[in-house]
């Protein structure tokens, strides 16, 4: 992705959130100088990957993409330092925008439509062999959909849909996504941008996403202009701190 595109996406999202009266914490607006001057008191922002996250999954962002802001998160690799077992994110979906099929090995999440348009969520069970073969997933080998009904909960009510079935979330509604459950979504075209909130267990987007087919989760950035705001993948370059690595 070009840095100019990332700047534009973040600014667009900020403007829309102001329009919908969804406030963000101060670090959402930090400049590169603010990040360079970050001190130990805010190291959690870096180590737990809080803040902006943009992905085009290697394609056309307006068609397939996602804008994320992570408010809080625990850490897989430093549970004594960061014992909180939960994560909260904003997932901003543009009108008609799609998220590719994927599941998580560890993360259990509720996806909540907080306002704007409607969201179609499509579901498949994964093959237990696929779920267990982490190495194959790391090599981007295509996953497997099971042709079996999917059972989950919408607003605490148990529902069952056929393989590949869709669940439409209107503003105020939520769906539970368990580990190993393939899910994709699309902002229903013509209903407007969708403001999703994600409440989950601890999340690490570098290691816990299994895509159905090859997809670049963290973008490679072409620095055509200077950054106005940073995404979490920028932190090691612009701050004195780095992510906590797996032992």
């Amino acid at each position: 992705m070009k840095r100019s595109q990332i700047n534009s996406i973040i600014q667009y999202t900020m403007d829309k959130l102001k329009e919908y009266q969804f406030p963000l914490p101060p670090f959402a607006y930090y400049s590169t100088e603010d990040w360079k001057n970050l001190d130990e008191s805010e190291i959690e922002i870096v180590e737990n990957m809080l803040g902006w996250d943009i992905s085009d999954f290697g394609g056309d962002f307006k068609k397939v993409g996602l804008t994320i802001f992570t408010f809080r998160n625990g850490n897989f690799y430093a549970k004594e330092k960061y014992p909180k077992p939960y994560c909260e994110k904003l997932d901003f979906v543009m009108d008609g925008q799609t998220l590719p099929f994927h599941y998580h090995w560890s993360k259990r999440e509720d996806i909540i439509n907080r306002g704007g348009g409607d969201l179609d969520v499509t579901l498949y069970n994964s093959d237990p062999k696929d779920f267990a073969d982490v190495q194959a997933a790391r090599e981007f080998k295509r996953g497997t959909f099971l042709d079996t009904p999917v059972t989950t909960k919408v607003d605490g009510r148990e529902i069952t849909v056929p393989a590949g079935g869709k669940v439409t979330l209107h503003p105020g509604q939520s769906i539970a996504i368990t580990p190993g459950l393939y899910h994709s979504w699309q902002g229903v075209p013509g209903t407007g941008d969708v403001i999703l909130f994600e409440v989950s267990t601890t999340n690490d987007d570098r290691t816990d996403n299994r895509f159905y087919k090859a997809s670049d989760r963290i973008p490679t950035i072409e620095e055509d202009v200077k950054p106005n705001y940073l995404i979490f993948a920028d932190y090691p370059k612009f701050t004195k701190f780095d992510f906590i690595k797996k032992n």
Side-chain angles (χ1 to χ4, degrees):
M1 297 185 74
K2 291 185 176 181
R3 179 67 70 176
S4 57
Q5 185 183 18
I6 291 174
N7 286 345
S8 176
I9 291 165
I10 292 177
Q11 190 61 58
Y12 176 86
T13 306
M14 286 177 170
D15 292 344
K16 283 295 181 179
L17 291 174
K18 286 180 182 177
E19 185 179 315
Y20 282 100
Q21 298 185 350
F22 274 92
L24 294 168
F27 71 90
Y29 306 99
Y30 279 4
S31 67
T32 54
E33 285 303 309
D34 292 326
W35 288 107
K36 288 176 182 177
N37 294 323
L38 205 71
D39 64 30
E40 289 279 350
S41 69
E42 294 185 287
I43 193 173
E44 180 174 344
I45 296 173
V46 174
E47 292 192 332
N48 290 2
M49 300 176 290
L50 310 185
W52 293 105
D53 178 13
I54 311 293
S55 186
D56 63 356
F57 303 97
D60 181 345
F61 176 81
K62 288 188 176 181
K63 292 180 179 178
V64 181
L66 186 62
T67 304
I68 297 170
F69 188 88
T70 302
F71 293 90
R72 64 204 92 252
N73 196 11
N75 197 296
F76 285 157
Y77 312 123
K79 292 183 179 180
E80 290 187 5
K81 184 176 183 180
Y82 299 116
K84 79 176 57 165
Y86 53 84
C87 175
E88 181 188 11
K89 293 182 177 183
L90 161 77
D91 295 337
F92 190 87
V93 182
M94 292 182 173
D95 192 319
Q97 196 175 41
T98 297
L99 178 72
F101 278 107
H102 67 290
Y103 66 68
H104 309 286
W105 284 285
S106 297
K107 184 170 70 169
R108 179 182 296 269
E109 59 189 332
D110 278 10
I111 302 298
I112 309 153
N113 185 341
R114 290 295 191 194
D118 297 331
L119 188 80
D120 279 342
V121 183
T122 305
L123 304 169
Y124 284 96
N125 291 317
S126 63
D127 188 323
K129 293 179 182 178
D130 178 62
F131 186 79
D133 193 351
V134 176
Q135 185 57 39
R138 295 278 185 262
E139 295 172 358
F140 286 126
K141 292 183 179 178
R142 186 180 290 270
T144 305
F145 293 152
L146 290 186
D147 188 22
T148 57
V150 177
T151 297
T152 188
K153 291 189 177 181
V154 172
D155 301 329
R157 178 174 62 90
E158 185 172 281
I159 65 163
T160 300
V161 297
K166 288 185 180 180
V167 177
T168 300
L169 298 182
H170 304 290
Q173 292 191 294
S174 66
I175 188 168
I177 304 293
T178 53
L181 179 59
Y182 272 116
H183 54 290
S184 172
W185 67 51
Q186 181 181 30
V188 177
T191 66
D193 299 335
V194 187
I195 299 173
L196 302 181
F197 267 59
E198 174 185 320
V199 177
S200 74
T201 52
T202 298
N203 173 232
D204 188 335
D205 276 313
R206 299 167 300 167
T207 61
D208 196 36
N209 296 299
R210 197 297 188 233
F211 288 94
Y212 174 68
K213 57 184 179 180
S215 187
D216 295 323
R217 174 61 182 82
I218 310 298
T220 299
I221 301 174
E222 178 186 337
E223 302 289 357
D224 61 325
V225 299
K226 293 182 179 180
N228 294 335
Y229 308 101
L230 301 186
I231 62 174
F232 84 82
D234 292 318
Y235 294 164
K237 179 180 177 181
F238 286 88
T239 76
K240 299 185 289 285
F241 309 111
D242 202 348
F243 307 126
I244 295 176
K245 303 296 195 300
K246 183 177 181 180
N247 293 330

